[in-house]
Amino acid sequence: PDLAGAFKIGYVRLIQFNEPTANELEKALDDLQKQGMQALVLDLRNNPGGLLNSAVDVCAQFLPPSTTVVSTQGRAASQQSDYTTSSTSKQRPRFPMTVLVNEGSASGAEIVAGALKDLNRAILVGETTFGKGSVQNVMQLPDGSALRITTAKYYTPSKQVINAQGVTPNIRVPISAEQERALFSARSSENLKPEEEKILIKTKDTQMMRAIDALKGVMIYAQETAPKADSAKK
Protein backbone atom coordinates (compact mmCIF):
# COMPACT_ATOMS: atom_id res chain seq x y z
CA PRO A 1 0.00 0.00 0.00
CA ASP A 2 2.79 2.48 0.80
CA LEU A 3 4.27 1.93 -2.67
CA ALA A 4 1.04 2.50 -4.58
CA GLY A 5 -0.80 4.93 -2.35
CA ALA A 6 -4.51 4.19 -2.15
CA PHE A 7 -4.37 1.75 -5.08
CA LYS A 8 -3.95 -2.01 -4.87
CA ILE A 9 -1.28 -2.96 -7.40
CA GLY A 10 -0.31 -6.62 -7.76
CA TYR A 11 3.19 -7.84 -8.61
CA VAL A 12 4.21 -11.06 -10.38
CA ARG A 13 7.71 -12.00 -11.49
CA LEU A 14 8.24 -14.75 -14.08
CA ILE A 15 11.79 -16.13 -14.06
CA GLN A 16 11.35 -18.45 -17.07
CA PHE A 17 8.71 -20.10 -19.28
CA ASN A 18 8.27 -23.81 -18.63
CA GLU A 19 5.28 -26.19 -18.59
CA PRO A 20 3.74 -25.13 -15.24
CA THR A 21 4.35 -21.38 -15.69
CA ALA A 22 0.95 -20.45 -17.15
CA ASN A 23 -0.99 -22.49 -14.58
CA GLU A 24 1.02 -21.02 -11.72
CA LEU A 25 0.43 -17.53 -13.12
CA GLU A 26 -3.31 -18.21 -13.38
CA LYS A 27 -3.45 -19.22 -9.70
CA ALA A 28 -1.42 -16.16 -8.67
CA LEU A 29 -3.71 -13.82 -10.61
CA ASP A 30 -6.81 -15.47 -9.15
CA ASP A 31 -5.39 -14.90 -5.67
CA LEU A 32 -4.47 -11.27 -6.40
CA GLN A 33 -7.93 -10.57 -7.80
CA LYS A 34 -9.51 -12.02 -4.65
CA GLN A 35 -7.37 -9.54 -2.70
CA GLY A 36 -8.87 -6.69 -4.71
CA MET A 37 -6.05 -6.09 -7.20
CA GLN A 38 -6.75 -3.01 -9.36
CA ALA A 39 -3.63 -3.13 -11.55
CA LEU A 40 -0.60 -5.35 -12.18
CA VAL A 41 3.15 -5.16 -12.64
CA LEU A 42 4.48 -8.18 -14.56
CA ASP A 43 8.24 -8.46 -14.12
CA LEU A 44 10.07 -10.15 -17.02
CA ARG A 45 13.50 -8.71 -16.29
CA ASN A 46 16.33 -11.22 -16.79
CA ASN A 47 13.83 -13.85 -17.96
CA PRO A 48 15.73 -15.87 -20.62
CA GLY A 49 12.59 -17.42 -22.14
CA GLY A 50 11.87 -21.11 -22.47
CA LEU A 51 8.96 -22.92 -24.12
CA LEU A 52 7.06 -21.15 -26.89
CA ASN A 53 3.71 -22.68 -25.92
CA SER A 54 4.23 -21.50 -22.34
CA ALA A 55 4.77 -17.90 -23.51
CA VAL A 56 1.61 -18.07 -25.63
CA ASP A 57 -0.37 -19.46 -22.69
CA VAL A 58 0.92 -16.66 -20.47
CA CYS A 59 -0.35 -14.14 -23.02
CA ALA A 60 -3.74 -15.87 -22.85
CA GLN A 61 -4.09 -14.70 -19.25
CA PHE A 62 -4.31 -11.11 -20.45
CA LEU A 63 -5.68 -11.21 -24.00
CA PRO A 64 -8.97 -12.35 -25.62
CA PRO A 65 -9.30 -15.93 -26.92
CA SER A 66 -7.94 -16.71 -30.40
CA THR A 67 -5.63 -13.67 -30.43
CA THR A 68 -2.44 -13.93 -32.50
CA VAL A 69 0.48 -13.08 -30.23
CA VAL A 70 3.48 -14.02 -32.39
CA SER A 71 4.17 -15.31 -35.90
CA THR A 72 7.08 -16.88 -37.73
CA GLN A 73 8.15 -16.02 -41.25
CA GLY A 74 10.83 -17.64 -43.37
CA ARG A 75 11.65 -18.32 -47.00
CA ALA A 76 9.61 -21.51 -47.11
CA ALA A 77 5.83 -21.45 -46.72
CA SER A 78 6.15 -24.21 -44.12
CA GLN A 79 8.03 -21.78 -41.87
CA GLN A 80 5.14 -19.31 -41.75
CA SER A 81 2.89 -19.82 -38.74
CA ASP A 82 0.67 -17.82 -36.41
CA TYR A 83 0.55 -18.66 -32.71
CA THR A 84 -2.70 -17.70 -31.00
CA THR A 85 -4.17 -17.81 -27.53
CA SER A 86 -6.56 -20.67 -26.84
CA SER A 87 -10.14 -20.30 -28.07
CA THR A 88 -11.28 -21.22 -24.55
CA SER A 89 -8.85 -19.06 -22.57
CA LYS A 90 -10.18 -17.46 -19.38
CA GLN A 91 -11.36 -13.86 -19.64
CA ARG A 92 -10.19 -11.49 -16.92
CA PRO A 93 -11.05 -7.86 -16.20
CA ARG A 94 -8.96 -5.52 -18.34
CA PHE A 95 -7.03 -4.08 -15.40
CA PRO A 96 -4.21 -1.58 -16.11
CA MET A 97 -0.89 -3.35 -16.54
CA THR A 98 2.82 -2.61 -16.90
CA VAL A 99 5.56 -5.04 -17.95
CA LEU A 100 9.14 -4.65 -16.74
CA VAL A 101 11.84 -5.62 -19.25
CA ASN A 102 15.58 -5.24 -19.64
CA GLU A 103 18.40 -6.50 -21.87
CA GLY A 104 18.23 -9.82 -20.02
CA SER A 105 14.64 -10.40 -21.20
CA ALA A 106 14.91 -12.81 -24.12
CA SER A 107 13.03 -15.22 -26.37
CA GLY A 108 9.69 -16.09 -24.72
CA ALA A 109 9.90 -12.99 -22.53
CA GLU A 110 10.20 -10.88 -25.68
CA ILE A 111 7.24 -12.65 -27.27
CA VAL A 112 5.05 -11.84 -24.27
CA ALA A 113 6.31 -8.26 -23.96
CA GLY A 114 5.99 -7.60 -27.69
CA ALA A 115 2.45 -8.97 -27.85
CA LEU A 116 1.18 -7.07 -24.81
CA LYS A 117 2.77 -3.87 -26.10
CA ASP A 118 1.58 -4.16 -29.70
CA LEU A 119 -1.96 -5.09 -28.69
CA ASN A 120 -2.13 -2.12 -26.30
CA ARG A 121 -2.64 -4.37 -23.30
CA ALA A 122 0.32 -3.18 -21.26
CA ILE A 123 2.84 -0.37 -20.91
CA LEU A 124 6.43 -1.61 -21.21
CA VAL A 125 8.90 -0.06 -18.78
CA GLY A 126 12.67 -0.53 -18.60
CA GLU A 127 15.20 -1.19 -21.34
CA THR A 128 15.23 -2.74 -24.82
CA THR A 129 15.16 -6.52 -24.66
CA PHE A 130 17.90 -8.92 -25.78
CA GLY A 131 16.74 -9.67 -29.33
CA LYS A 132 16.57 -13.46 -29.51
CA GLY A 133 13.83 -14.45 -31.92
CA SER A 134 14.93 -16.94 -34.55
CA VAL A 135 13.92 -20.48 -35.50
CA GLN A 136 16.96 -22.67 -36.12
CA ASN A 137 17.46 -26.15 -37.53
CA VAL A 138 20.53 -28.30 -37.01
CA MET A 139 21.94 -30.13 -40.07
CA GLN A 140 24.33 -33.02 -39.51
CA LEU A 141 27.36 -33.02 -41.85
CA PRO A 142 29.18 -36.11 -43.20
CA ASP A 143 32.30 -35.49 -41.12
CA GLY A 144 30.28 -35.65 -37.90
CA SER A 145 30.06 -31.91 -37.32
CA ALA A 146 26.81 -29.97 -37.48
CA LEU A 147 25.58 -26.74 -39.01
CA ARG A 148 22.90 -24.63 -37.36
CA ILE A 149 20.77 -22.71 -39.87
CA THR A 150 18.28 -19.94 -39.17
CA THR A 151 15.14 -20.81 -41.12
CA ALA A 152 12.62 -18.28 -39.79
CA LYS A 153 12.23 -15.33 -37.44
CA TYR A 154 9.67 -14.38 -34.83
CA TYR A 155 7.50 -11.30 -35.36
CA THR A 156 5.30 -9.40 -32.93
CA PRO A 157 1.63 -8.72 -33.83
CA SER A 158 2.60 -5.44 -35.55
CA LYS A 159 5.14 -7.41 -37.63
CA GLN A 160 8.18 -6.07 -35.80
CA VAL A 161 11.08 -8.51 -35.94
CA ILE A 162 12.39 -9.56 -32.54
CA ASN A 163 15.73 -11.07 -33.56
CA ALA A 164 18.70 -8.71 -33.15
CA GLN A 165 16.27 -5.81 -32.62
CA GLY A 166 14.58 -6.61 -29.35
CA VAL A 167 11.41 -5.03 -28.05
CA THR A 168 11.62 -1.38 -27.06
CA PRO A 169 9.84 -0.13 -23.93
CA ASN A 170 7.18 2.59 -23.98
CA ILE A 171 8.93 4.19 -21.03
CA ARG A 172 12.71 3.87 -21.04
CA VAL A 173 14.26 3.64 -17.57
CA PRO A 174 17.93 2.60 -17.77
CA ILE A 175 19.93 1.41 -14.79
CA SER A 176 23.61 0.50 -14.69
CA ALA A 177 24.81 -3.08 -14.61
CA GLU A 178 26.22 -2.48 -11.12
CA GLN A 179 22.88 -1.14 -9.85
CA GLU A 180 21.06 -4.09 -11.40
CA ARG A 181 23.35 -6.69 -9.85
CA ALA A 182 23.12 -5.08 -6.42
CA LEU A 183 19.33 -4.81 -6.66
CA PHE A 184 18.67 -8.39 -7.71
CA SER A 185 21.21 -9.75 -5.24
CA ALA A 186 19.51 -7.90 -2.40
CA ARG A 187 16.01 -8.91 -3.47
CA SER A 188 16.97 -12.59 -3.72
CA SER A 189 17.97 -12.68 -0.07
CA GLU A 190 15.89 -15.23 1.86
CA ASN A 191 16.09 -13.10 4.99
CA LEU A 192 14.67 -9.95 3.40
CA LYS A 193 11.62 -8.78 5.35
CA PRO A 194 8.59 -7.22 3.56
CA GLU A 195 9.28 -3.76 4.96
CA GLU A 196 12.95 -4.03 3.98
CA GLU A 197 11.95 -5.02 0.45
CA LYS A 198 9.65 -2.00 0.16
CA ILE A 199 12.47 0.30 1.23
CA LEU A 200 14.80 -1.40 -1.26
CA ILE A 201 12.31 -0.90 -4.10
CA LYS A 202 11.76 2.75 -3.19
CA THR A 203 15.46 3.57 -3.00
CA LYS A 204 17.00 1.27 -5.64
CA ASP A 205 14.44 -0.03 -8.13
CA THR A 206 13.73 2.99 -10.31
CA GLN A 207 12.17 0.79 -13.00
CA MET A 208 9.61 -0.64 -10.58
CA MET A 209 8.75 2.78 -9.19
CA ARG A 210 8.29 4.18 -12.69
CA ALA A 211 5.99 1.27 -13.55
CA ILE A 212 3.91 1.92 -10.42
CA ASP A 213 3.75 5.64 -11.21
CA ALA A 214 2.52 4.86 -14.72
CA LEU A 215 -0.25 2.65 -13.35
CA LYS A 216 -1.26 5.24 -10.76
CA GLY A 217 -1.49 7.82 -13.53
CA VAL A 218 -3.74 5.57 -15.60
CA MET A 219 -6.04 4.86 -12.65
CA ILE A 220 -6.24 8.49 -11.54
CA TYR A 221 -7.16 9.50 -15.09
CA ALA A 222 -9.82 6.77 -15.21
CA GLN A 223 -11.31 8.03 -11.94
CA GLU A 224 -11.41 11.62 -13.13
CA THR A 225 -13.01 10.79 -16.48
CA ALA A 226 -15.51 8.22 -15.20
CA PRO A 227 -19.15 9.24 -15.69
CA LYS A 228 -20.53 10.82 -12.53
CA ALA A 229 -23.77 9.41 -11.17
CA ASP A 230 -26.66 11.86 -11.39
CA SER A 231 -28.00 11.97 -7.86
CA ALA A 232 -30.32 14.89 -8.45
CA LYS A 233 -33.98 14.21 -7.76
CA LYS A 234 -36.18 14.35 -10.84
Side-chain angles (χ1 to χ4, degrees):
D2 56 342
L3 289 175
F7 298 111
K8 291 185 176 181
I9 298 178
Y11 172 78
V12 174
R13 180 186 174 204
L14 298 183
I15 59 174
Q16 62 182 348
F17 292 92
N18 53 29
E19 283 297 344
T21 300
N23 287 336
E24 291 175 357
L25 173 62
E26 181 177 7
K27 293 176 184 176
L29 293 174
D30 287 345
D31 184 52
L32 288 169
Q33 285 182 227
K34 288 177 183 177
Q35 296 178 52
M37 177 182 69
Q38 296 169 286
L40 175 71
V41 177
L42 179 65
D43 194 345
L44 299 181
R45 291 176 295 184
N46 295 322
N47 182 318
L51 301 176
L52 175 60
N53 68 294
S54 176
V56 174
D57 289 343
V58 163
C59 288
Q61 292 296 315
F62 308 110
L63 296 169
S66 304
T67 300
T68 298
V69 297
V70 68
S71 60
T72 60
Q73 294 182 22
R75 290 184 179 181
S78 60
Q79 295 293 335
Q80 299 181 12
S81 301
D82 291 335
Y83 296 87
T84 63
T85 57
S86 169
S87 60
T88 59
S89 58
K90 182 176 182 178
Q91 288 283 271
R92 295 185 182 276
R94 193 178 168 88
F95 44 76
M97 183 176 174
T98 53
V99 177
L100 291 171
V101 292
N102 64 6
E103 61 183 12
S105 307
S107 189
E110 296 178 281
I111 287 172
V112 173
L116 297 180
K117 177 190 177 186
D118 280 6
L119 298 171
N120 298 314
R121 182 61 188 88
I123 300 169
L124 263 59
V125 179
E127 299 171 282
T128 300
T129 61
F130 183 80
K132 181 183 179 184
S134 63
V135 180
Q136 295 183 321
N137 290 339
V138 176
M139 180 183 296
Q140 294 294 331
L141 300 178
D143 64 358
S145 62
L147 180 65
R148 189 160 55 185
I149 303 173
T150 297
T151 56
K153 294 180 180 179
Y154 287 111
Y155 291 80
T156 68
S158 67
K159 301 305 178 185
Q160 299 298 307
V161 66
I162 292 174
N163 202 57
Q165 301 297 319
V167 179
T168 58
N170 299 104
I171 302 173
R172 185 172 180 270
V173 185
I175 63 174
S176 69
E178 291 76 18
Q179 288 175 306
E180 186 176 282
R181 282 194 293 269
L183 172 63
F184 280 86
S185 174
R187 290 195 67 188
S188 64
S189 171
E190 295 181 359
N191 300 319
L192 193 65
K193 298 177 182 178
E195 287 303 317
E196 293 174 331
E197 183 172 11
K198 290 174 183 176
I199 294 172
L200 180 67
I201 292 172
K202 279 185 174 182
T203 57
K204 302 292 185 181
D205 197 343
T206 53
Q207 293 171 335
M208 175 79 83
M209 292 307 299
R210 187 65 185 88
I212 291 172
D213 286 344
L215 289 174
K216 288 166 64 177
V218 168
M219 289 187 284
I220 290 170
Y221 178 78
Q223 286 181 344
E224 293 177 347
T225 58
K228 302 297 189 293
D230 185 1
S231 60
K233 298 288 185 180
K234 300 294 184 183

